[in-house]
Amino acid sequence: MPALPPLPDAPLVVVLLVVLHVLLNVVTNVALRWSAYGATWSDVVVWQIAGNLAGFVTVLCLTGLLRYLPLGVAYPLTTGLSVIAVQVFAAHWFFGEAIQPAQWAGTLLIVLGVALVQR
């Protein structure tokens, strides 16, 4: 395997990649939801393309994170934060879906799990 170029300042890059991953994961899920309710085939296709492009960039973000973090940290971190962001922002704010107390409890457990994985 060829030598990789030197890595830039890790903490800043890691934070930026995690934030970008989570935001684009929300975009992916919102776009796919809008696609599911598209009034025309062109609506469906446009939102599918937008959602899949955003999803592709989340994969690139995770790949970039793997240069700085072990898989056992990067994957739970991005997945856990994305679940929370999609549940709270996409489902609740974008679509007005109610978040039940059990779902809030599950969100808290995800936050605790992500915190534990980071140790």
Side-chain angles (χ1 to χ4, degrees), residues 4-55:
L4 296 172
L7 298 174
D9 187 29
L12 178 61
V13 172
V14 167
V15 169
L16 291 174
L17 286 171
V18 169
V19 168
L20 185 60
H21 182 282
V22 171
L23 290 175
L24 286 171
N25 204 303
V26 171
V27 169
T28 298
N29 283 279
V30 168
L32 295 177
R33 172 74 186 264
W34 282 339
S35 171
Y37 290 100
T40 65
W41 276 108
S42 63
D43 289 344
V44 171
V45 170
V46 165
W47 288 115
Q48 279 290 317
I49 291 170
N52 280 285
L53 284 174

Side-chain angles (χ1 to χ4, degrees), residues 16-101:
L16 291 174
L17 286 171
V18 169
V19 168
L20 185 60
H21 182 282
V22 171
L23 290 175
L24 286 171
N25 204 303
V26 171
V27 169
T28 298
N29 283 279
V30 168
L32 295 177
R33 172 74 186 264
W34 282 339
S35 171
Y37 290 100
T40 65
W41 276 108
S42 63
D43 289 344
V44 171
V45 170
V46 165
W47 288 115
Q48 279 290 317
I49 291 170
N52 280 285
L53 284 174
F56 176 69
V57 177
T58 66
V59 172
L60 295 177
C61 290
L62 179 60
T63 303
L65 277 171
L66 294 174
R67 293 200 60 195
Y68 299 94
L69 301 173
L71 179 62
V73 173
Y75 184 74
L77 176 65
T78 56
T79 302
L81 293 176
S82 293
V83 166
I84 294 165
V86 167
Q87 177 180 328
V88 173
F89 296 109
H92 184 65
W93 286 358
F94 280 95
F95 301 109
E97 297 176 9
I99 301 174
Q100 303 302 319

